[in-house]
Amino acid sequence: MIDPEKAGAIWKKHFDTVTPEEFVARVKRVSPDLAQEWWGNRSVAEICAERRRPTRRARNVFASLGRSVLRLFS
C-alpha cells in the first residue's frame, strides 16, 4: 500500500525542483498526444518562453465563490 504522506512529499519535491523545460520535455516524451493537445508542434523553448498566467486570480475567484456559498447557507 502506498503511504499518502510519503507519496505527497515525493510529489511536492518533484514539482518544487523540476524546471519548466524538464516538465515540458517529460510530457512530450511520456504522452505525445497530450503534449500535442496542450502545445501543438511548438518547441520546448517556445512553450517555456510564454508568459505564465497569474494563478492568484483563479484562487481569488474560488475564494470569493466559497465565501458566497458560506453566506448562502448561514
Side-chain angles (χ1 to χ4, degrees), residues 2-50:
I2 296 175
D3 179 17
E5 289 182 18
K6 194 179 238 183
I10 292 169
W11 187 262
K12 182 169 176 14
K13 182 181 179 211
H14 168 73
F15 280 104
D16 286 346
T17 58
V18 72
T19 65
E21 292 82 6
E22 289 173 328
F23 177 76
V24 172
R26 288 178 187 165
V27 171
K28 284 187 169 207
R29 186 184 73 240
V30 173
S31 181
D33 293 334
L34 180 63
Q36 177 68 31
E37 183 179 326
W38 281 356
W39 302 301
N41 290 326
R42 294 180 295 162
S43 70
V44 173
E46 288 175 316
I47 295 164
C48 293
E50 288 180 353

